[in-house]
Amino acid sequence: MELFEDTPASNAHEFTVSEISGAVKRVIEGEFGRVRVRGEIGRVSRPSSGHLYFDLKDERACIAAVTWKGQAARLSTRPEEGIEVIATGRLTTFPGQSKYQLIVEEIEPAGAGALMMMLEKRRKALAAEGLFDESRKRPLPYLPRVIGVVTSPSGAVIRDILHRLRDRFPTRVLIWPVAVQGEACAPQVAAAIQGFNALPGDGQVPRPELLIVARGGGSLEDLWGFNEEAVVRAAAASEIPLISAVGHETDTTLIDFASDRRAPTPTAAAEMAVPVRAELAARLAEIRARMMRAAQTGNQRQRQRLADLGRALGRPQALTDPVRQRFDLFAERLEPALRGFVRARRDRLSALPLSLSALRAMLRNRREALQGHQQRLPLALARLRQRRAER
């Protein structure tokens, strides 16, 4: 018997709500076990549970879509409102609200136009946070002792960088191997940038003074990992100055806006990182020669100035002649003056014995007077005590 057979109501089978919901669920899941749906994403919701809820719509219809927490973390493209995508998954029903929905397992942009639209939207959002401001970009160190390179260890990019560094100015290079495309690219590149910044300054592994994030050219899809938000935020938060060298000259990724300097190619990044040692030595030699010439010129100028001032002073003998003449005059007077001085001192010394005799006589008189006072003192004290007793 058909489910909706036109029979009298008294003979129709009675279905429960759960039975009807289960039958509809089996029909939909059986017919649409795996489908690819093209549409524009709208109304994206990210609750604390970790699941993703969004709509897929076109000009005439809308389908509810959901990605469970475990699958959401593995999506290569995060759903963003207004982007046209192709969602792969299975249709099912949600009995609690009597509706059907698409369980999404994978999302991919619907062509390069959708990718460019997503890229531009993400660029504007990150720029609004100030991650691309020129004021936060730092100058590159002139001659870094250690350079950290984030790239694939097996590609031609790392060989080009090492070869250019060896030709220009050999320095120590630390390589952090990462995947440069695919789903693993973004988390590995972000972890590499954060890992280099987390190295201690005095650890066994030296902390780089400059970072280079490099990759060769490719399509927009190949370079998409360097447009991911995690990579951009890691580059913007890096305390070590960072050069982005992703793709060729015409390729632009979001990490280029967040880095401190963008290089058109990986080889150009190595040229930005270090100067040419031969040119540096030639420049130092030129500076040394200029310093020598400047010192010689300064000495000659000072000697000329001293000679000019010497001519203005006149002959040195003209300055010393008057003094010499005065010295001769004083020399003639010196001998008589010394003789008179000696004579006066001799006279004073010859009169000194008379003065000593007078001093001895004065002392003798003072001693005799003191003895007389000493003899009269007891009598005077006795009379003083008697008068005080009589009072």
Side-chain angles (χ1 to χ4, degrees):
M1 181 179 67
E2 297 294 330
L3 182 63
F4 300 105
E5 184 180 359
D6 189 8
T7 58
S10 59
N11 296 328
H13 178 73
E14 294 180 354
F15 294 92
T16 64
V17 175
S18 299
E19 290 175 342
I20 291 292
S21 297
V24 172
K25 180 181 180 70
R26 288 190 297 273
V27 170
I28 291 179
E29 291 183 352
E31 292 294 329
F32 304 96
R34 183 173 178 82
V35 293
R36 285 167 56 86
V37 182
R38 184 182 185 125
E40 179 183 329
I41 295 179
R43 193 191 59 82
V44 180
S45 176
R46 296 180 175 86
S48 59
S49 62
H51 308 315
L52 292 177
Y53 299 94
F54 54 95
D55 293 335
L56 285 175
K57 59 183 180 179
D58 57 15
E59 62 275 7
R60 293 188 298 272
C62 179
I63 298 177
V66 59
T67 301
W68 305 125
K69 178 180 179 180
Q71 188 63 33
R74 295 191 294 270
L75 290 178
S76 59
T77 301
R78 304 286 292 179
E80 297 183 17
E81 188 173 351
I83 305 301
E84 187 177 7
V85 298
I86 299 175
T88 302
R90 55 187 177 84
L91 276 177
T92 186
T93 62
F94 181 51
Q97 295 184 0
S98 184
K99 69 175 184 179
Y100 67 95
Q101 61 187 5
L102 179 65
I103 307 299
V104 177
E105 299 174 355
E106 183 56 49
I107 297 175
E108 57 184 288
L115 280 177
M116 293 302 296
M117 185 182 302
M118 183 187 302
L119 181 63
E120 181 62 19
K121 182 178 180 181
R122 186 176 296 172
R123 186 191 67 80
K124 290 181 179 179
L126 295 174
E129 296 183 24
L131 300 182
F132 303 156
D133 292 346
E134 291 294 329
S135 58
R136 54 162 298 279
K137 297 182 183 296
R138 290 152 299 180
L140 304 181
Y142 180 70
L143 190 58
R145 292 173 295 179
V146 181
I147 298 177
V149 179
V150 180
T151 188
S152 172
S154 59
V157 170
I158 187 60
R159 292 195 297 271
D160 292 342
I161 291 177
L162 294 177
H163 177 72
R164 181 60 66 181
L165 290 176
R166 188 165 51 248
D167 289 344
R168 292 175 66 87
F169 202 110
T171 186
R172 187 170 185 180
V173 178
L174 299 179
I175 302 174
W176 195 301
V178 296
V180 292
Q181 70 180 59
E183 296 182 4
C185 173
Q188 289 186 11
V189 172
I193 296 174
Q194 295 168 356
F196 272 133
N197 279 270
L199 289 175
D202 55 351
Q204 294 182 352
V205 179
R207 190 170 189 263
E209 298 178 2
L210 179 66
L211 297 183
I212 298 177
V213 179
R215 187 206 188 279
S219 63
L220 181 60
E221 291 82 0
D222 294 337
L223 303 179
W224 191 256
F226 298 92
N227 292 319
E228 292 292 345
E229 184 174 341
V231 174
V232 176
R233 292 190 181 278
S238 175
E239 298 178 358
I240 305 174
L242 187 144
I243 300 176
S244 63
V246 178
H248 295 306
E249 296 184 8
T250 57
D251 298 324
T252 302
T253 56
L254 294 184
I255 193 176
D256 296 333
F257 297 100
S259 62
D260 298 296
R261 186 76 64 85
R262 176 187 180 268
T265 61
T267 303
E271 295 176 354
M272 291 180 182
V274 294
V276 180
R277 182 168 60 178
E279 294 179 356
L280 185 60
R283 184 178 178 187
L284 289 175
E286 180 184 355
I287 293 175
R288 187 180 299 109
R290 290 173 56 187
M291 289 177 60
M292 294 296 295
R293 289 195 298 269
Q296 292 175 358
T297 303
N299 291 336
Q300 292 176 358
R301 186 180 299 111
Q302 293 297 330
R303 283 196 297 268
Q304 184 63 37
R305 177 64 174 169
L306 183 60
D308 295 341
L309 293 175
R311 285 192 295 269
L313 290 175
R315 295 185 309 106
Q317 294 180 354
L319 298 176
T320 59
D321 287 343
V323 179
R324 186 180 295 109
Q325 186 175 3
R326 290 177 57 191
F327 179 76
D328 294 338
L329 293 176
F330 286 129
E332 294 177 356
R333 302 176 189 174
L334 182 60
E335 185 177 358
L338 288 175
R339 291 177 179 175
F341 178 78
V342 172
R343 188 181 304 108
R345 288 294 185 265
R346 187 181 296 113
D347 294 340
R348 291 181 61 183
L349 288 175
S350 61
L352 187 58
L354 298 177
S355 300
L356 290 175
S357 300
L359 181 60
R360 291 192 188 96
M362 182 181 66
L363 290 175
R364 187 171 49 256
N365 295 333
R366 296 297 183 188
R367 188 181 299 110
E368 293 175 354
L370 183 60
Q371 290 176 355
H373 292 313
Q374 186 177 1
Q375 294 174 358
R376 292 192 296 272
L377 182 60
L379 297 176
L381 290 175
R383 287 195 296 270
L384 179 62
R385 285 196 296 268
Q386 184 179 0
R387 285 198 296 269
R388 287 183 178 178
E390 292 175 354
R391 281 180 194 165

